[in-house]
Amino acid sequence: MRNYISWLPFLFLLILFLSPIQCADNTFAPSFYSEEIYKELENLASLLNKDIKASLGFCIKDVKKDWEESFDFKGRLDFVDSCVKKKGDFRDRICTVAEIRYYFHGFLEQGASSTNYVKPNKNCNLTSWVSGCEPGWSCSAGKSVDLKKDVKDIPFRTNNCQPCCEGFFCPQGLTCMIPCPLGSYCPLAKLNNETGICDPYSYQIPQGETNHTCGSADIWSGVVNNSDIFCSPGSYCPTTTRKVSCDSGNYCRMGSTHQNPCSKLSSCNSSTATQNMHAYGALLIVALSTLLIFIYNCSDQVLVTRERRKAKSREAAARQVRETVQARERWKIAKDVAKKGKVGLQEQLSRTFSRKKSTRQSEQLKVSSQAKRGMGDTFLPPMPPNASSIYEQSSAASKEQNKEPTNLTKMLNSLENDPHSNEGFNLQIGDKNIKKQMPKGKQLQTQSQILRYAYGQIEKEKAQQEKNKNLTFSGVISMATGGEVRTRPVIEVAFKDLTLTLKGKRKHLLRCVSGKLMPGRVSAVMGPSGAGKTTFLSALAGKARGCTMTGSILINGKVESIHCYQKIIGFVPQDDIVHGNLTVEENLRFSARCRLSADMPKPDKVLIVERVIESLGLQAVRDSLVGTVEKRGISGGQRKRVNVGMEMVMEPSLLILDEPTTGLDSASSTLLLKALRREALEGVNICMVLHQPSYTLFRMFDDIIFLAKGGLTAYHGPVKKVEEYFASIGISVPDRVNPPDHFIDILEGLVKPSGGVTHQQLPVRWMLHNSYPVPPDMLHYADQIAASSSSPSNINDATKGKNEVTDQSFAGEFWEDMKSSVQIQRDHIEATFLKTKDLSNRRTPGVARQYRYYLGRICKQTLREGKSQAVDYLLLLVAGAILGTLTKVNDETFGSLGYTYTVIAVSLLCKIAALRSFSLDKLQYWRESASGISNLAHFLSKDTIDLFNTIIKPVVYLSMFYFFSNPRSSFASNYVVLLCLVYCVTGMAYAIAIYFEPAPAQLWSVLLPVVMTLMANQTKDTLFMKILVKLCYPNWALEAFIIANAERYTGVWLITRCSSLMNSGYNVSDWPLCLLVLIFYGIIARVVAFFCLVITQKK
């Protein structure tokens, strides 16, 4: 007894030491014992670290961070103090590492959808089921449990079973307590007598046990299975035993530990779970809509203003040059008149005043100066206002002795000293010594200087052409530039027995065509429809595909490929393939920049463009848009001249034109042909297809080629001798009939010539006339000509017999068609990757320089198409607002439904918009690619400009979707995922647009996102489905969205995060991998698109 009494003071001190200390604000400061217990609980994290990484690594990336966000009870240990006060064996009721490990292993093995994770164990099984095995109850271990050691076995825990303390949960099947995570609310339950359920939880007390009462929480599970312990929406739980309603101006989501202040322009009532962003969304919609309306209406105004300023600068330069030229001519006229008057006055003065020589000389000078002023003004032509102002300025400047003479005064003084001076044209720019040493134009820097130089040269060329009308244009340029003229390489094309046969059809498109196209001459190819005129030009230009060609084509007398001279050959297609959203000058300037020599100075390129605009009569429309089908531009005739001018500006040596005068009136055709003849004077070899020319236009050609049906030559020679030749074979032209029309009617068979000549015989007569070999199947025509006794019926019978073809079976015909299709495709690929030696002696700009030119052009086109861009952005705004409103983020699925719709909507809208990048200008690309312009520069420039949309479109969409759906993930993380997604789908749209026609391309762009997103949401129960889902890009985008959102769910949400990610097969560490895969898909799609761009050419 004495021993027990001696222990009483120490026991009292121990109770005082372990009892909690109450603070002034009625909160409890944790005792030393509670702190020690908490340290042991913290130790559980280090003991379970390896297990968590091995088993829950897919949903927990940083174990320490997630453990602290779930069980960091520093300053919040009041529930521990309360439990210690109620239960003296509190420490023996805490779950050990083995029991916690057992609980979570059951969670993984039985699946996240299970409501009970605990399997039978030594304490709770079929033979042993104490009251502590019931939900919400716990028992004490028979002996002290060391929480700091990693005990592998579950301890026996069946003694002193009592209700679980508040702030802890006791799972059914385990007889220990686990602390509730942060964000939960775990008070003691109260029995509902009506339902028999322990509120606020969902378990019942066992029947027949009157002493059994409700305890604390029974389970920590995912919110889908059981949300009993989650802090309710509209409230926040600073501790696991205390719940506070959210104040006005703040919002509290489910499972919150603190209040979140509402952002500006949003409203939050008390006890609300989300902030009302409708005011912000409405304001943002109004602001962005206003901006889009401004872009829609004023997108091209920047270019219009810029072009207007450039036009003013150009007009000022042209006016200055014109005024200088006019002043020069007026001064020469005045000087000539003054010289004539000076001689007459000198004779008169010598007779009258012969006494004093000095007096006579002084008077002579005075009178002569008066005569110069008076008579010069009498005979000068009327002066324009600008010229008179220049003379007034020059006279006023001459009176001021301290000022330097003006440029006009210098020009007049030079003309006084040298009547043949070029001072009116050589503008004083820079140092004269430098100017003499360098080629003209290289020292010019500013745009006004370059324009004055170009217009000055053009005026000099006009003046020299007026003086020397018999000179060639090269001679005129030589005189105008002082002997500095670039000579073009000469290309002579000779062809012998040229025959083209359609593969698989055994049909001749051209046959036995022989002749020569000479430099400096303009040749025309005429004939009825189907005679092979375009095919003939395509064969000469090396563009014939799907045909077997026999015979020979000689370039400058050598057997060389025409592709060796690709850089100096111009081919004008029959259709007017020009960029409708560029001006006339922009189309011509781009062609000149990319196809002229790289080392040519910029002023000389400007001069070439100005010459072409001048010669084609396009000055009035140079700043007008060419126009498209939807938007009216210049006239059809002007568009045709722009089509020709795009080849003229590259200074070709061989120029081939396919029906350049079709659709033009007589005046426009004459103007065009005059410009082409001027090119021919420089040694250019010009050949064109012609339809129904007037007789005046017909006589402007040097040579003519008449092709008969079947691609046979009926005549090839000078235009002057064509009537003489046909008259020699009995075909004369009736009066008042246009000779070319009459010859084509005969070749067509519409007019039957007299003298027994038939249109079938005309090619054979030409062969006999030139001693060409006659094909064996046409020898009967030669016999008929020799006999001159053939009748039309016999001829028709013979022709009919020759044209009969033996019928093939369906299978044989199908097989021939298949072989022909394969051969044509092979020819296209071979032509695409054909490498030939460059013999053109012209080094055009490289890929980097062309890329820069392309960037400038596409920027202008994009600004002019700003309305389409504004519509795209408006659709994204509407889609983001609708989807954000309808698909609020669901905490159970982390917003997977809204993100699924986002992937579909953004993919659809961005793909369809990206189709325009390559589907609208395919014809223009094919023409530019065939002329030697870089494919890579074209593709990279398009992709570079589209990067702007790739960056902006996610911002536009998220500005609505993010603030209406209000996810927990950050705006930045959503933007990064959406940025990678847009980059991916844009590359896919490139490949679709290039490979397919516009209609099927749009269909594919709609089908792919929908089908692939549905596939990405399928269960991965087989290996094939796993591989298929991984190949779908929406799977990676959805995973990135959900992971970014799931990482924000911590504390009590940890089990929900793990269960959702486990069901979806996602890994929280794969967020960077998802972004890299999307970018990789985008790069692969662009590589495929570029490959398709190279191999797909116009059929």
Side-chain angles (χ1 to χ4, degrees):
M1 187 69 181
R2 193 177 295 172
N3 292 333
Y4 288 106
I5 295 173
S6 63
W7 279 96
L8 285 176
F10 295 98
L11 182 60
F12 179 75
L13 291 174
L14 180 63
I15 293 172
L16 290 176
F17 182 77
L18 293 178
S19 61
I21 300 172
Q22 189 170 8
C23 300
D25 58 352
N26 294 327
T27 61
F28 289 93
S31 65
F32 176 78
Y33 184 73
S34 300
E35 292 286 352
E36 290 298 319
I37 293 295
Y38 176 68
K39 291 179 181 179
E40 293 184 355
L41 292 176
E42 279 186 321
N43 187 57
L44 293 177
S46 60
L47 296 177
L48 293 171
N49 192 358
K50 185 177 180 180
D51 294 277
I52 292 174
K53 287 184 177 179
S55 302
L56 302 176
F58 66 92
C59 62
I60 297 178
K61 182 166 59 176
D62 189 344
V63 177
K64 182 179 180 181
K65 178 184 176 184
D66 283 325
W67 182 270
E68 289 178 352
E69 291 177 345
S70 300
F71 300 104
D72 185 10
F73 297 115
K74 291 180 180 178
R76 309 174 188 178
L77 293 175
D78 53 340
F79 71 99
V80 177
D81 293 329
S82 176
C83 190
V84 168
K85 184 177 180 181
K86 292 179 180 179
K87 295 178 174 58
D89 57 349
F90 165 78
R91 194 171 178 280
D92 296 335
R93 295 178 181 271
I94 299 296
C95 289
T96 63
V97 174
E99 290 170 306
I100 294 176
R101 185 184 292 119
Y102 189 79
Y103 177 77
F104 284 107
H105 277 183
F107 160 75
L108 292 173
E109 293 176 4
Q110 297 185 23
S113 60
S114 177
T115 57
N116 187 13
Y117 306 135
V118 182
K119 296 188 295 183
N121 53 77
K122 63 171 63 176
N123 295 320
C124 301
N125 50 58
L126 294 177
T127 60
S128 173
W129 190 268
V130 296
S131 59
C133 296
E134 295 295 333
W137 274 57
S138 65
C139 299
S140 176
K143 57 182 180 178
S144 179
V145 178
D146 190 356
L147 299 178
K148 296 183 179 181
K149 292 184 179 180
D150 187 4
V151 182
K152 301 298 182 182
D153 297 327
I154 297 177
F156 284 100
R157 196 188 299 271
T158 57
N159 300 327
N160 192 18
C161 296
Q162 295 180 10
C164 193
C165 294
E166 62 176 351
F168 294 85
F169 73 96
C170 298
Q172 183 180 5
L174 279 181
T175 58
C176 60
M177 299 190 304
I178 303 176
C180 289
L182 293 175
S184 63
Y185 180 55
C186 302
L188 287 175
K190 294 181 180 180
L191 180 63
N192 190 327
N193 295 323
E194 296 180 359
T195 61
I197 295 176
C198 295
D199 290 336
Y201 310 112
S202 302
Y203 62 87
Q204 295 177 333
I205 61 176
Q207 296 180 359
E209 296 186 13
T210 57
N211 295 328
H212 199 95
T213 60
C214 293
S216 183
D218 64 322
I219 188 172
W220 176 27
S221 176
V223 71
V224 179
N225 301 325
N226 193 315
S227 61
D228 292 343
I229 69 171
F230 283 77
C231 192
S232 59
S235 302
Y236 68 98
C237 300
T239 66
T240 56
T241 58
R242 181 166 169 253
K243 183 169 68 172
V244 183
S245 296
C246 212
D247 298 332
S248 179
N250 298 276
Y251 68 98
C252 301
R253 302 177 188 265
M254 178 185 284
S256 297
T257 60
H258 58 276
Q259 299 183 104
N260 297 311
C262 289
S263 58
K264 295 180 180 179
L265 302 178
S266 63
S267 60
C268 294
N269 299 324
S270 59
S271 302
T272 184
T274 57
Q275 51 184 337
N276 187 356
M277 302 292 293
H278 297 297
Y280 173 82
L283 184 62
L284 194 59
I285 287 177
V286 171
L288 292 177
S289 300
T290 304
L291 178 62
L292 291 178
I293 291 173
F294 177 78
I295 295 174
Y296 185 87
N297 293 300
C298 306
S299 59
D300 58 344
Q301 192 61 41
V302 177
L303 289 178
V304 171
T305 305
R306 183 171 178 267
E307 293 299 327
R308 188 184 299 119
R309 292 175 63 89
K310 289 178 63 177
K312 289 181 179 179
S313 175
R314 185 173 57 248
E315 291 171 1
R319 183 171 61 251
Q320 182 177 355
V321 172
R322 192 163 51 247
E323 290 169 354
T324 305
V325 173
Q326 291 174 355
R328 180 180 187 276
E329 294 300 323
R330 292 169 63 86
W331 179 254
K332 290 177 65 177
I333 293 173
K335 184 177 179 181
D336 293 340
V337 172
K339 283 184 177 180
K340 292 179 181 178
K342 178 180 178 180
V343 174
L345 288 173
Q346 186 175 5
E347 293 178 356
Q348 183 179 359
L349 291 171
S350 63
R351 289 194 303 268
T352 307
F353 303 98
S354 58
R355 294 179 181 179
K356 294 181 179 179
K357 188 175 181 180
S358 59
T359 306
R360 182 176 68 246
Q361 290 176 351
S362 62
E363 291 294 327
Q364 280 180 352
L365 293 174
K366 184 184 297 184
V367 176
S368 64
S369 61
Q370 293 175 359
K372 284 182 182 179
R373 291 192 299 268
M375 299 184 68
D377 293 339
T378 304
F379 291 96
L380 282 177
M383 294 174 59
N386 294 333
S388 62
S389 63
I390 290 176
Y391 275 111
E392 290 174 2
Q393 294 173 5
S394 63
S395 60
S398 63
K399 293 178 181 179
E400 299 179 5
Q401 297 179 357
N402 296 330
K403 292 187 177 180
E404 292 291 333
T406 62
N407 290 335
L408 184 61
T409 307
K410 293 179 181 179
M411 184 268 290
L412 298 179
N413 292 334
S414 65
L415 289 175
E416 177 71 23
N417 300 325
D418 183 9
H420 301 286
S421 172
N422 290 327
E423 182 64 29
F425 300 101
N426 295 331
L427 303 177
Q428 298 296 324
I429 303 169
D431 189 10
K432 293 183 178 179
N433 296 326
I434 298 176
K435 186 174 181 180
K436 291 179 181 179
Q437 296 171 4
M438 296 178 62
K440 292 182 179 179
K442 282 193 175 181
Q443 71 275 22
L444 307 181
Q445 300 295 332
T446 65
Q447 186 68 21
S448 59
Q449 291 175 344
I450 293 173
L451 290 173
R452 288 200 298 269
Y453 164 77
Y455 289 130
Q457 289 297 117
I458 291 175
E459 292 295 334
K460 286 173 64 177
E461 292 165 9
K462 288 181 181 179
Q464 295 293 345
Q465 200 168 10
E466 287 294 329
K467 288 184 179 180
N468 306 278
K469 294 186 178 181
N470 295 326
L471 276 179
T472 64
F473 188 60
S474 297
V476 171
I477 295 177
S478 178
M479 294 184 65
T481 56
E484 298 174 1
V485 63
R486 296 177 301 275
T487 57
R488 303 188 192 181
V490 175
I491 295 181
E492 177 189 282
V493 182
F495 41 91
K496 184 177 181 182
D497 292 333
L498 185 61
T499 301
L500 263 70
T501 306
L502 198 61
K503 288 183 178 180
K505 302 293 183 182
R506 295 194 296 273
K507 178 183 178 182
H508 295 299
L509 302 179
L510 280 180
R511 195 172 186 191
C512 302
V513 179
S514 300
K516 184 183 291 186
L517 299 178
M518 300 293 293
R521 299 180 69 84
V522 183
S523 304
V525 181
M526 298 183 65
S529 298
K533 303 181 293 297
T534 301
T535 304
F536 171 66
L537 293 186
S538 299
L540 294 183
K543 297 178 180 292
R545 301 286 184 268
C547 302
T548 302
M549 188 175 71
T550 59
S552 59
I553 298 178
L554 304 179
I555 309 298
N556 293 333
K558 300 178 182 179
V559 182
E560 294 173 340
S561 173
I562 194 69
H563 297 287
C564 298
Y565 300 89
Q566 182 185 34
K567 294 181 179 179
I568 55 174
I569 295 177
F571 186 88
V572 180
Q574 181 177 353
D575 301 322
D576 301 331
I577 303 174
V578 292
H579 291 278
N581 48 12
L582 293 178
T583 64
V584 172
E585 183 181 0
E586 288 167 353
N587 274 288
L588 299 180
R589 185 169 64 243
F590 179 81
S591 182
R593 282 180 170 182
C594 292
R595 300 176 66 184
L596 287 172
S597 179
D599 54 1
M600 180 182 291
K602 180 180 177 181
D604 292 336
K605 293 181 181 180
V606 174
L607 175 59
I608 292 172
V609 173
E610 295 296 333
R611 279 182 190 150
V612 172
I613 292 176
E614 179 82 17
S615 62
L616 293 177
L618 298 172
Q619 301 95 328
V621 295
R622 64 183 302 157
D623 294 323
S624 302
L625 292 178
V626 174
T628 58
V629 177
E630 295 84 5
K631 188 175 182 180
R632 176 70 176 173
I634 59 179
S635 66
Q638 293 166 340
R639 186 185 181 97
K640 178 72 71 174
R641 279 178 273 164
V642 174
N643 188 32
V644 177
M646 289 179 66
E647 302 299 322
M648 291 176 60
V649 293
M650 52 86 64
E651 292 195 334
S653 296
L654 173 63
L655 183 58
I656 300 174
L657 305 96
D658 192 3
E659 301 185 19
T661 59
T662 301
L664 298 183
D665 55 20
S666 178
S668 298
S669 299
T670 304
L671 179 64
L672 176 61
L673 196 55
K674 285 182 178 179
L676 293 175
R677 287 200 62 82
R678 197 169 95 164
E679 291 288 309
L681 291 176
E682 296 189 59
V684 181
N685 193 344
I686 300 177
C687 183
M688 69 176 69
V689 173
L690 202 61
H691 272 301
Q692 295 181 336
S694 63
Y695 185 69
T696 304
L697 196 68
F698 179 71
R699 297 292 294 180
M700 293 176 69
F701 288 93
D702 298 313
D703 298 319
I704 189 73
I705 301 174
F706 278 107
L707 293 178
K709 287 189 174 182
L712 295 162
T713 307
Y715 176 79
H716 182 192
V719 172
K720 297 178 181 179
K721 296 183 179 180
V722 62
E723 296 183 46
E724 178 184 346
Y725 166 75
F726 280 104
S728 66
I729 60 176
I731 299 176
S732 57
V733 181
D735 294 339
R736 298 183 179 180
V737 175
N738 191 12
D741 292 341
H742 181 67
F743 298 146
I744 290 177
D745 290 341
I746 292 175
L747 294 173
E748 184 73 41
L750 300 177
V751 176
K752 295 183 179 180
S754 59
V757 180
T758 62
H759 66 279
Q760 293 95 340
Q761 296 177 357
L762 291 179
V764 179
R765 288 181 178 273
W766 176 253
M767 295 177 190
L768 297 175
H769 177 75
N770 291 279
S771 301
Y772 294 153
V774 180
D777 60 336
M778 301 183 70
L779 289 175
H780 63 285
Y781 291 123
D783 297 337
Q784 293 171 5
I785 294 171
S788 299
S789 59
S790 61
S791 62
S793 60
N794 294 336
I795 295 172
N796 293 335
D797 293 340
T799 305
K800 183 178 178 181
K802 293 294 179 182
N803 290 337
E804 287 179 357
V805 180
T806 57
D807 293 335
Q808 289 183 339
S809 64
F810 176 79
E813 198 170 328
F814 178 76
W815 177 247
E816 289 294 331
D817 290 341
M818 288 290 295
K819 290 198 301 182
S820 174
S821 178
V822 172
Q823 290 175 349
I824 291 173
Q825 292 295 333
R826 187 181 65 185
D827 290 347
H828 278 291
I829 295 175
E830 288 179 354
T832 300
F833 296 99
L834 178 66
K835 297 296 182 181
T836 56
K837 184 180 179 181
D838 185 15
L839 302 176
S840 59
N841 294 327
R842 177 181 291 184
R843 187 179 64 85
T844 55
V847 175
R849 199 167 175 184
Q850 291 187 31
Y851 169 75
R852 190 182 68 187
Y853 296 152
Y854 265 112
L855 279 181
R857 189 186 79 178
I858 297 174
C859 281
K860 292 179 181 179
Q861 292 174 313
T862 304
L863 285 175
R864 292 195 175 107
E865 298 296 330
K867 294 183 178 181
S868 301
Q869 301 288 337
V871 171
D872 293 341
Y873 293 153
L874 184 61
L875 289 175
L876 284 170
L877 278 177
V878 174
I882 294 175
L883 294 180
T885 304
L886 297 179
T887 59
K888 292 286 186 181
V889 172
N890 188 355
D891 290 329
E892 299 175 359
T893 59
F894 304 130
S896 61
L897 181 62
Y899 287 132
T900 300
Y901 291 154
T902 292
V903 171
I904 295 176
V906 172
S907 298
L908 280 174
L909 295 176
C910 293
K911 274 188 178 180
I912 293 176
L915 291 179
R916 294 196 300 265
S917 297
F918 287 94
S919 61
L920 297 181
D921 58 353
K922 278 187 178 180
L923 294 177
Q924 288 84 348
Y925 161 72
W926 284 333
R927 176 177 182 177
E928 292 169 355
S929 175
S931 65
I933 297 179
S934 172
N935 300 321
L936 183 59
H938 173 83
F939 183 84
L940 290 180
S941 58
K942 291 266 189 181
D943 189 33
T944 303
I945 298 300
D946 274 350
L947 281 178
F948 174 78
N949 289 328
T950 304
I951 295 172
I952 296 299
K953 285 184 176 180
V955 177
V956 174
Y957 179 82
L958 286 177
S959 63
M960 294 288 103
F961 177 81
Y962 182 83
F963 294 104
F964 277 98
S965 63
N966 201 14
R968 297 200 181 192
S969 55
S970 65
F971 186 93
S973 61
N974 282 269
Y975 172 76
V976 171
V977 177
L978 211 55
L979 177 68
C980 297
L981 175 63
V982 174
Y983 182 79
C984 174
V985 299
T986 302
M988 293 180 178
Y990 290 165
I992 293 172
I994 293 170
Y995 190 77
F996 294 102
E997 296 296 324
Q1002 293 180 0
L1003 182 61
W1004 277 104
S1005 296
V1006 172
L1007 282 177
L1008 277 180
V1010 177
V1011 173
M1012 296 182 78
T1013 305
L1014 293 176
M1015 291 170 58
N1017 287 320
Q1018 298 299 312
T1019 56
K1020 311 176 190 67
D1021 49 358
T1022 62
L1023 179 62
F1024 174 75
M1025 284 303 300
K1026 289 181 180 179
I1027 297 174
L1028 190 61
V1029 168
K1030 290 296 182 182
L1031 291 176
C1032 297
Y1033 76 90
N1035 171 69
W1036 300 97
L1038 283 173
E1039 184 173 356
F1041 276 126
I1042 293 175
I1043 288 174
N1045 203 24
E1047 284 184 329
R1048 296 302 183 97
Y1049 286 80
T1050 59
V1052 71
W1053 290 100
L1054 197 58
I1055 297 292
T1056 306
R1057 181 212 293 180
C1058 292
S1059 61
S1060 179
L1061 294 180
M1062 184 171 65
N1063 291 333
S1064 302
Y1066 297 154
N1067 192 319
V1068 74
S1069 301
D1070 288 345
W1071 192 75
L1073 177 63
C1074 296
L1075 302 183
L1076 291 176
V1077 170
L1078 289 175
I1079 295 174
F1080 176 74
Y1081 277 2
I1083 295 174
I1084 292 298
R1086 281 163 172 78
V1087 173
V1088 173
F1090 178 69
F1091 181 74
C1092 294
L1093 187 72
V1094 173
I1095 65 173
T1096 56
Q1097 295 292 332
K1098 186 178 180 181
K1099 303 295 188 290

